[in-house]
Amino acid sequence: QKEVEQDPGPLSVPEGAIVSLNCTYSNSAFQYFMWYRQYSRKGPELLMYTYSSGNKEDGRFTAQVDKSSKYISLFIRDSQPSDSATYLCAMSGAYGGSQGNLIFGKGTKLSVKP
Amino acid sequence: NAGVTQTPKFRILKIGQSMTLQCTQDMNHNYMYWYRQDPGMGLKLIYYSVGAGITDKGEVPNGYNVSRSTTEDFPLRLELAAPSQTSVYFCASSPPGGLGELFFGEGSRLTVL
């Protein structure tokens, strides 16, 4: 079983739709959970960051972590064509020197049609 | 601030050639990383550094070397290039306590033929 599983899509939705992106993981030591957004031919950029279980909201974006189910989600409300990108989940159990030793999902490619 | 700058953006190598991918950051971040991203795959950590003079292996270090002589620069050396090293390479940096908040460069696309 891979450490982090993420459906690669592609996912195509109409503008204004609610988008749900998900990852599952197997390592119960993970405590830090992130969502990165990557536009075509660009580097990833941090979108959302969550520590342990719970919800975090930032504008149209909501990140959820359910550690009991080893499941994380990213919701995008009122999706826009500018949200078209690949979304990568990432997670880590480490602090300090190895804090960047993130385990990434494969990414889900999202397309929002006008 | 330019952030994280990588050069070159594109390069084609022949099997057995060597090259260095350059990475520099102007955010005074202690931590720097090299990842590779293969099509349909997640990012894999190659090497990382917690400060000048200190480097450590990541998940996929074979065939690569790094050095960190200054806070700003973290070059990645490919020795004896192989087709398996065809990939997109991303350099990233983070401040201490950034806890997963990595700042990525735009990537270097390498093809080995």
Side-chain angles (χ1 to χ4, degrees):
Chain A
Q1 182 185 10
K2 291 185 170 43
E3 273 200 294
V4 178
E5 301 267 14
Q6 183 177 11
D7 187 338
L11 181 62
S12 182
V13 302
E15 183 175 355
I18 296 175
V19 176
S20 174
L21 304 169
N22 312 293
C23 288
T24 60
Y25 63 95
S26 58
N27 189 341
S28 57
F30 290 147
Q31 296 185 68
Y32 306 98
F33 303 93
M34 289 131 276
W35 287 93
Y36 281 81
R37 178 175 60 194
Q38 185 176 23
Y39 290 114
S40 181
R41 296 186 176 267
K42 297 291 186 183
E45 56 178 340
L46 182 66
L47 190 61
M48 297 286 285
Y49 170 88
T50 311
Y51 171 69
S52 193
S53 284
N55 293 1
K56 185 174 184 178
E57 188 173 323
D58 184 1
R60 296 184 295 110
F61 299 90
T62 299
Q64 287 186 351
V65 175
D66 182 348
K67 290 190 72 179
S68 62
S69 302
K70 297 190 178 67
Y71 188 86
I72 70 171
S73 301
L74 177 71
F75 297 96
I76 307 174
R77 291 183 298 280
D78 187 25
S79 56
Q80 302 295 309
S82 58
D83 295 328
S84 298
T86 297
Y87 290 80
L88 303 161
C89 64
M91 45 200 80
S92 170
Y95 183 83
S98 53
Q99 66 182 29
N101 290 6
L102 304 180
I103 306 300
F104 282 87
K106 292 183 180 181
T108 300
K109 188 170 184 178
L110 172 67
S111 177
V112 181
K113 304 295 186 185
Chain B
N1 283 352
V4 178
T5 302
Q6 294 182 233
T7 56
K9 290 192 182 338
F10 305 93
R11 181 74 185 267
I12 297 175
L13 279 181
K14 294 182 179 178
I15 294 172
Q17 287 185 321
S18 300
M19 75 160 297
T20 299
L21 300 177
Q22 301 291 343
C23 175
T24 187
Q25 52 93 7
D26 62 359
M27 296 174 283
N28 202 31
H29 287 169
N30 288 50
Y31 298 92
M32 295 189 74
Y33 314 88
W34 275 104
Y35 283 87
R36 61 176 287 172
Q37 186 176 39
D38 300 319
M41 304 296 290
L43 290 151
K44 302 287 187 186
L45 182 65
I46 304 171
Y47 271 96
Y48 68 99
S49 169
V50 302
I54 306 170
T55 62
D56 209 346
K57 296 178 181 178
E59 185 181 354
V60 289
N62 291 345
Y64 307 95
N65 277 301
V66 294
S67 60
R68 183 95 181 271
S69 57
T70 67
T71 299
E72 295 78 20
D73 300 307
F74 190 40
L76 178 71
R77 177 84 176 161
L78 281 72
E79 305 281 2
L80 299 175
S84 61
Q85 292 178 305
T86 294
S87 190
V88 182
Y89 292 84
F90 288 100
C91 179
S93 70
S94 70
L99 294 174
E101 185 177 7
L102 271 59
F103 294 80
F104 284 86
E106 294 208 338
S108 297
R109 294 180 173 271
L110 176 67
T111 302
V112 182
L113 299 173

